[in-house]
Amino acid sequence: RGIGSAFVQLAYPWLRTRGTANLPERIEPPDGVLAGLLARNAVLNGTFRSAADAAQRDVVATVPELSDQARLQPLGGTDRLAALALVDRVSTFAPGIDGVELQSDVTTSLTADFRAAGIRRLIALVARAARSLGEDLAFENSGERLWNRLRLRMDDLLLTLFRVGALRGETPQEAYEVRCDRTTMTQNDIDSGRVIAQIALAPSAPIERIDVTLTLDPGDQVSLASIGIEEAAA
């Protein structure tokens, strides 16, 4: 209950794999297996997709073996986490139809919007790309030319994400929007050489829209100024 971060994934329980024969009790912690599954899932399917139910061959058993009740029963209590179960907060491994599977791919975030790890990884992907872009453009003079270059570069990234299915919408215009002009900056920002871009994207998940504000100060890297999320209607 004390851990709540969109940047942290916890995994449980311990695992028995094909490589644990010589380890104490013939088990290993699950974090390495989870990291491997996430890496392979990123290459094969895209980091924005959930790795839950991803096929794997190495894990032969879990210790202990979690029952459906243990994984799905509400945690209880009187706070806002009372209705959540273990699988809502922890990436859990459990027996499935094809053997042991990753049953949930979640962060420990206390905010429901960031609990799906694929959503958090999608935002991290966009933020990393923006920071890399900021390093290329940090020393250029702020103005229409720079703003247009930034818009075009971010548009290329988001168009790629749209084409591979990371974003929802019939057209790119429905899936995302990039703004970097006099509507996103005050005159004081412009005079100070500060560039502010606002990005809105609709991920392929039950979230209506994510609004990301990125700030580029003269000589500095891009900083993530704010993130706003609007949930999709039920």
Side-chain angles (χ1 to χ4, degrees):
R1 292 175 180 274
I3 298 176
S5 172
F7 295 95
V8 175
Q9 283 186 254
L10 301 179
Y12 185 77
W14 289 70
L15 304 176
R16 182 163 289 135
T17 72
R18 303 182 190 280
T20 58
N22 296 322
L23 295 179
E25 300 188 48
R26 296 187 297 122
I27 56 177
E28 64 175 280
D31 52 335
V33 175
L34 176 61
L37 280 176
L38 294 180
R40 186 174 62 180
N41 183 64
V43 172
L44 296 179
N45 305 311
T47 190
F48 50 86
R49 298 195 189 281
S50 174
D53 299 327
Q56 60 80 33
R57 306 182 190 89
D58 294 330
V59 181
V60 296
T62 65
V63 181
E65 183 173 309
L66 296 178
S67 66
D68 289 344
Q69 182 178 12
R71 292 183 296 110
L72 303 176
Q73 182 176 353
L75 298 173
T78 57
D79 58 19
R80 57 178 170 165
L81 301 179
L84 300 180
L86 182 67
V87 293
D88 296 318
R89 304 292 314 288
V90 178
S91 298
T92 57
F93 289 87
I97 297 176
D98 298 319
V100 176
E101 299 175 343
L102 178 65
Q103 299 284 318
S104 59
D105 181 13
V106 295
T107 73
T108 61
S109 176
L110 301 179
T111 303
D113 302 319
F114 287 130
R115 203 164 287 142
I119 296 296
R120 183 67 239 188
R121 293 193 293 266
L122 174 62
I123 296 174
L125 186 158
V126 173
R128 284 197 299 270
R131 290 191 180 100
S132 178
L133 175 58
E135 293 175 357
D136 294 339
L137 305 178
F139 298 101
E140 296 199 14
N141 292 328
S142 181
E144 297 284 353
R145 181 173 177 272
L146 174 61
W147 305 342
N148 189 54
R149 286 185 62 191
L150 193 151
R151 281 196 304 269
L152 290 176
R153 295 274 291 274
M154 289 305 302
D155 187 86
D156 286 344
L157 168 68
L158 294 170
L159 181 59
T160 299
L161 290 173
F162 170 73
R163 287 173 173 169
V164 299
L167 304 178
R168 182 180 68 252
E170 295 295 327
T171 65
Q173 290 74 22
E174 293 180 2
Y176 66 86
E177 178 187 11
V178 181
R179 291 194 301 128
C180 183
D181 51 35
R182 293 183 181 275
T183 67
T184 65
M185 291 168 275
T186 66
Q187 188 59 48
N188 182 61
D189 291 325
I190 297 173
D191 293 341
S192 301
R194 185 179 301 111
V195 178
I196 299 175
Q198 293 184 348
I199 302 168
L201 56 150
S204 297
I207 290 178
E208 187 66 32
R209 179 185 175 99
I210 298 177
D211 293 292
V212 181
T213 301
L214 302 166
T215 300
L216 173 60
D217 288 307
D220 294 336
Q221 293 183 334
V222 167
S223 60
L224 194 60
S226 65
I227 299 176
I229 289 186
E230 179 181 339
E231 293 187 19

